[in-house]
Amino acid sequence: MSHITVDPTKPGIIGLFAFRPETAKPLGELVETLLRGPSSLTTGERELIGAVVSKENDCYFCAEAHGAFSAAQIEGGAATVDSAKQDIDAAPISDKLRALLKVALATRESGHSVTSALVDNAKTAGASEADIHDTVLIASLFSLFNRYVDGLATDAPDQAEWYAGAAQALVAGGYAAISGAAQAQAA
């Protein structure tokens, strides 16, 4: 049960965004820009960064939601996502994404954990400075969201179908579509 009164038909961050729309608006715009805006990283790769960071932060809702969002948009689907969540080095992903995931995981520990060596490895693997910037910002934002969702003890569906349905809504209409899809699935 959530620590605050949120709509029980809107799990995770969806309910929190509905609770405070004035804070949801800028956060939602930032997420839409970072995860779906122009980038040399695919939307599936950026979602995977969020899913891996969320798994390491032990945020079930975010790890499952963004894992499903990534799986719907990345080569190899759920198998790639599951592999990256378990072992970045063994995952069937590019060297560039592998290096960026290591930057992301260092970011989730502390900004000071992002070393020149990690950044140099990412650049050597083909990451641009924009890729590195966005990776650090995505990891930072997901660490914030993970603490937001878990700090208020929001509900998280345990049915994979819920996350798959939300992923279909995301692919079709972006983050704004997810709250509508979640509401329809709960009905």
Side-chain angles (χ1 to χ4, degrees):
M1 171 164 279
S2 181
H3 293 315
I4 61 174
T5 305
V6 294
D7 183 341
T9 67
K10 296 178 179 177
I13 202 162
I14 298 165
L16 298 176
F17 277 10
F19 182 82
R20 285 291 302 266
E22 63 277 17
T23 59
K25 185 179 184 307
L27 291 172
E29 289 170 353
L30 180 57
V31 168
E32 187 72 28
T33 299
L34 274 176
L35 299 183
R36 295 180 51 87
S39 175
S40 69
L41 298 172
T42 70
T43 54
E45 290 171 333
R46 290 177 276 170
E47 291 286 356
L48 183 62
I49 292 168
V52 169
V53 167
S54 296
K55 183 208 174 261
E56 291 301 311
N57 282 333
D58 199 28
C59 182
Y60 179 81
F61 177 82
C62 294
E64 292 302 304
H66 293 280
F69 301 165
S70 178
Q73 301 175 87
I74 199 167
E75 187 176 333
T80 297
V81 172
D82 292 343
S83 180
K85 283 178 169 181
Q86 295 306 312
D87 183 358
I88 293 167
D89 289 322
I93 56 176
S94 70
D95 289 339
K96 173 180 152 180
L97 183 55
R98 187 178 336 281
L100 290 171
L101 285 169
K102 290 178 181 181
V103 169
L105 290 177
T107 301
R108 70 160 279 285
E109 287 176 19
S110 164
H112 296 291
S113 295
V114 180
T115 64
S116 295
L118 287 170
V119 171
D120 289 344
N121 287 342
K123 287 180 179 179
T124 298
S128 68
E129 289 191 349
D131 294 334
I132 295 164
H133 170 277
D134 290 355
T135 296
V136 169
L137 187 52
I138 290 166
S140 299
L141 185 63
F142 270 84
S143 291
L144 176 143
F145 283 158
N146 300 156
R147 285 154 180 82
Y148 185 35
V149 165
D150 288 341
L152 290 170
T154 62
D155 292 327
D158 57 3
Q159 305 86 15
E161 303 81 34
W162 186 92
Y163 298 100
Q168 290 174 354
L170 172 83
V171 170
Y175 278 92
I178 294 175
S179 64
Q183 200 165 13
Q185 284 184 345

